[in-house]
Amino acid sequence: MIPGVDGFMYPNEVELQWSLLIVLYPYITGLVAGAFILASLERVFKVEAVRPTYRLALLTALAFLLVAPLPLQLHLGHPERSIEMYLTPHRSSAMAMFGFVYLWYLTVVLLLEIWLEFRADIVRMAQTTKGLTRLVYKALTLGSENLSPAARRIDDKVGYAVTVIGIPSAFLLHGYVGFIFGSIKANPWWSSPLMPIVFLFSAMVSGIATVLLLYMASMKVKKMAIDMRCLDTIAKYLFYTFVIDFTLEMLDLIHRTYEADESFRSLDFMVHTRLWGSQVILQILLGTLVPLVLLAANQLWTFSEAKRRAMYVIACGLTLVGIFAMRWNVVIGGQLFSKSFLGYTTYKVEFAAREGLLAASALMLLPFVIFIVLVKLLPPWPERETT
Amino acid sequence: MVLRRFLRDSGHLVRPAIVLLAAMGLFLVVRSAVIPKAFGQYGHYRPGALDAIRARPISFAGQDTCVACHDEQAKVRAAGKHAHVACEACHGPLAKHADDPTANVPKRPEVANLCRRCHEKDAAKPQGFPQVATVEHSAGMACNSCHQPHNPHL
């Protein structure tokens, strides 16, 4: 008997090829898209209340975007060859095209918007700092110190336009990740046109939750007052998107259950056995229903500020766990059952291996390190805005 | 006048555009420099890869070669159920050995894992294929203490 395998498993299905690192890829990309969409709320939809998190959200998006391709690189046996995806892209490869979506989003949308937003600060720093720091800021100004009101007005207009382009781009970025899974027709757990949309909304949920937590943490570290109106507004949007996200996921579930195609019994069995803990308990119960209840309670009743803060922290923390569990269930779950629908295998995360827990944890910490560096470089705090 | 003022006030926007264009230009230059000659001539790959692969040393000798020298094992094997299992399926690639038998004496296969690789019980295998749950079947004894590898019939 092959250990970990139950029933009928084709030989090439026994070992999972897409590991924990591939779980991180949609998770991190989702945080990028979510954070950016939150930022664009303020910019495009003029939601003034979330203003304090606008710049923070942009930097969060950048920090995670820079890390997004790394899990994929580490997963590859020959990461140095991944560059060939750009050099000689195969037009029929969804992954190769993702490379360009990624670059488009990084350069044309995110970097440009951040540059326009922070340009005034960059120029001021270039004029006030000294030594190496000054050089860095000088380089970041790209050689123009034009801060005339007219120039700033143009910046604002262009920034607006970039954000308007940015929203569909952010949708594309993460919808695309969903597409990569959803378009695999050989795998009934993945193959669903709803996949990109479900990915997108879960991305927004996780991104908003991350920004909210990072905002609270930053204020704590900076010993600055938390803007409760901002927090409440973000929590409200988190609630709305979460409701849509949950509805979509349930729609998918109901659709599958009612349609009950030839894969259903097998997948249903899997959810009740191998995925019970990660799907039903972590993803749906702890990761979705509990945060939803907490957020809904805040829409219905008014709690004291301290209570609200605690509730938001718990809700967002659980949300992030839940969305991670969702990515896990998609990526790992999709490889646990046999295409024969008669057998199941197991996945055991290694620890100190190339694709092990240690590497994954390091990759998950890296965006926060980058975030701290970015925040040092381009302080997003409102105190600076007044000058 | 208006146009000139507009150009002055939006002049800084040209800079990121230049950076982007420069990056794209650099990419195109690097791309044309590193893409192998005649890429895509036969398909989405480097035609030179065919020669590169052809030039690689051969690692399997093929069993006709083995049989030419190891008549004894060949006869034993031909008489049993492993008749259609190639020598190198168990012994691994031995082209070097076939070229110079005494300089490259091969190690014997590691029986503990060898037989299991093909005969471990698995519901996905055709029912007629001989398979055993090795742990129960041999209770830790080496398979070749009862079976003879070249003709496994007892």
Side-chain angles (χ1 to χ4, degrees):
Chain A
M1 299 279 113
I2 303 168
V5 172
D6 287 339
F8 189 107
M9 202 86 197
Y10 294 116
N12 58 340
E13 297 171 328
V14 170
E15 198 182 323
L16 267 69
Q17 300 303 322
W18 287 5
S19 64
L20 176 59
L21 293 183
I22 306 300
V23 177
L24 286 191
Y25 157 62
Y27 187 59
I28 294 181
T29 323
L31 296 177
V32 176
F36 183 84
I37 290 167
L38 178 63
S40 51
L41 261 187
E42 192 274 336
R43 191 75 192 240
V44 175
F45 302 107
K46 305 268 183 284
V47 182
E48 267 310 308
V50 303
R51 174 87 208 154
T53 59
Y54 172 62
R55 297 172 138 210
L56 200 74
L58 285 182
L59 298 184
T60 310
L62 181 59
F64 281 94
L65 189 64
L66 292 176
V67 177
L70 297 187
L72 298 179
Q73 301 285 353
L74 199 58
H75 171 75
L76 295 174
H78 273 288
E80 80 283 0
R81 290 185 190 163
S82 67
I83 184 74
E84 288 174 19
M85 189 174 91
Y86 287 113
L87 299 176
T88 51
H90 206 300
R91 262 170 295 127
S92 68
S93 156
M95 208 57 223
M97 291 305 118
F98 178 80
F100 292 96
V101 173
Y102 173 86
L103 273 193
W104 161 268
Y105 185 76
L106 175 68
T107 55
V108 177
V109 175
L110 203 52
L111 285 180
L112 189 58
E113 179 160 344
I114 291 178
W115 187 71
L116 289 171
E117 170 64 26
F118 284 94
R119 212 169 63 81
D121 305 59
I122 293 173
V123 170
R124 213 185 38 250
M125 304 276 216
Q127 289 161 351
T128 52
T129 51
K130 285 195 184 52
L132 198 66
T133 342
R134 182 184 162 84
L135 228 59
V136 171
Y137 285 113
K138 271 273 188 222
L140 285 179
T141 62
L142 300 180
S144 163
E145 305 202 342
N146 182 359
L147 286 185
S148 68
R152 289 304 286 154
R153 258 201 310 283
I154 291 177
D155 279 355
D156 199 47
K157 285 223 173 63
V158 175
Y160 179 84
V162 170
T163 318
V164 171
I165 300 170
I167 295 174
S169 301
F171 274 55
L172 182 65
L173 180 77
H174 201 68
Y176 204 107
V177 178
F179 170 77
I180 285 177
F181 288 95
S183 60
I184 297 182
K185 67 176 166 214
N187 190 320
W189 186 245
W190 291 336
S191 173
S192 154
L194 262 184
M195 197 63 112
I197 307 174
V198 170
F199 260 53
L200 199 58
F201 275 90
S202 54
M204 284 157 68
V205 168
S206 62
I208 296 174
T210 308
V211 173
L212 197 150
L213 285 179
L214 275 178
Y215 173 64
M216 291 179 75
S218 315
M219 291 299 107
K220 191 127 201 130
V221 171
K222 290 246 119 193
K223 299 206 170 47
M224 288 161 72
I226 292 179
D227 181 342
M228 278 315 278
R229 195 168 70 98
C230 167
L231 218 55
D232 291 335
T233 313
I234 297 179
K236 188 176 73 190
Y237 282 111
L238 179 60
F239 176 64
Y240 292 158
T241 19
F242 218 155
V243 168
I244 300 176
D245 177 45
F246 189 52
T247 313
L248 285 170
E249 281 183 35
M250 287 303 110
L251 192 64
D252 186 45
L253 190 75
I254 293 166
H255 183 94
R256 283 168 186 273
T257 314
Y258 185 75
E259 199 179 58
D261 69 6
E262 68 276 16
S263 68
F264 180 70
R265 277 163 54 106
S266 175
L267 300 182
D268 187 51
F269 179 78
M270 182 172 74
V271 170
H272 283 89
T273 50
R274 288 212 180 357
L275 288 186
W276 182 258
S278 59
Q279 177 122 357
V280 178
I281 306 292
L282 265 188
Q283 181 185 335
I284 298 182
L285 228 59
L286 285 176
T288 305
L289 291 178
V290 174
L292 270 181
V293 166
L294 285 174
L295 293 170
N298 270 292
Q299 304 305 312
L300 293 174
W301 299 287
T302 318
F303 298 93
S304 73
E305 285 200 4
K307 275 216 188 88
R308 247 146 64 209
R309 278 201 291 268
M311 284 166 95
Y312 293 156
V313 168
I314 297 172
C316 289
L318 285 177
T319 300
L320 288 178
V321 172
I323 301 288
F324 182 82
M326 183 255 180
R327 310 291 191 228
W328 172 280
N329 294 323
V330 168
V331 175
I332 303 298
Q335 304 172 83
L336 290 182
F337 64 94
S338 167
K339 186 72 200 309
S340 65
F341 305 133
L342 293 171
Y344 306 89
T345 186
T346 15
Y347 173 55
K348 196 159 175 291
V349 185
E350 294 165 300
F351 182 67
R354 182 163 58 90
E355 304 198 38
L357 192 61
L358 209 61
S361 313
L363 279 176
M364 213 48 237
L365 282 178
L366 190 57
F368 295 98
V369 177
I370 297 181
F371 176 77
I372 292 171
V373 172
L374 284 176
V375 163
K376 281 252 158 12
L377 194 66
L378 304 169
W381 322 119
E383 51 181 4
R384 307 268 174 173
E385 270 169 51
T386 51
T387 50
Chain B
M1 254 337 268
V2 179
L3 186 70
R4 274 208 18 223
R5 194 166 343 115
F6 176 76
L7 284 181
R8 196 188 62 224
D9 288 333
S10 58
H12 61 282
L13 291 176
V14 176
R15 290 152 198 273
I18 290 174
V19 172
L20 189 66
L21 285 178
M24 278 159 77
L26 185 70
F27 170 76
L28 289 179
V29 170
V30 170
R31 182 173 187 272
S32 61
V34 298
I35 287 188
K37 297 274 162 300
F39 182 92
Q41 188 181 351
Y42 305 127
H44 198 78
Y45 58 89
R46 172 171 63 92
L50 296 178
D51 289 329
I53 293 166
R54 227 177 271 132
R56 290 174 69 164
I58 289 172
S59 30
F60 286 92
Q63 69 171 338
D64 292 347
T65 322
C66 317
V67 170
C69 292
H70 294 286
D71 190 41
E72 188 192 328
Q73 285 81 8
K75 279 212 186 82
V76 174
R77 192 195 54 150
K81 285 277 188 179
H82 278 166
H84 300 294
V85 183
C87 311
E88 286 165 300
C90 290
H91 285 279
L94 285 180
K96 276 203 190 113
H97 164 66
D99 283 346
D100 189 351
T102 37
N104 302 299
V105 182
K107 279 215 240 15
R108 296 195 178 185
E110 194 198 333
V111 180
N113 284 318
L114 174 70
C115 316
R116 223 176 51 181
R117 217 169 59 210
C118 292
H119 288 291
E120 184 64 68
K121 194 162 181 62
D122 182 353
K125 284 176 185 162
Q127 249 168 359
F129 186 81
Q131 44 192 309
V132 291
T134 49
V135 179
E136 296 158 21
H137 179 73
S138 77
M141 278 168 79
C143 309
N144 59 342
S145 55
C146 295
H147 300 279
Q148 208 216 104
H150 295 136
N151 181 354
H153 193 65
L154 293 168

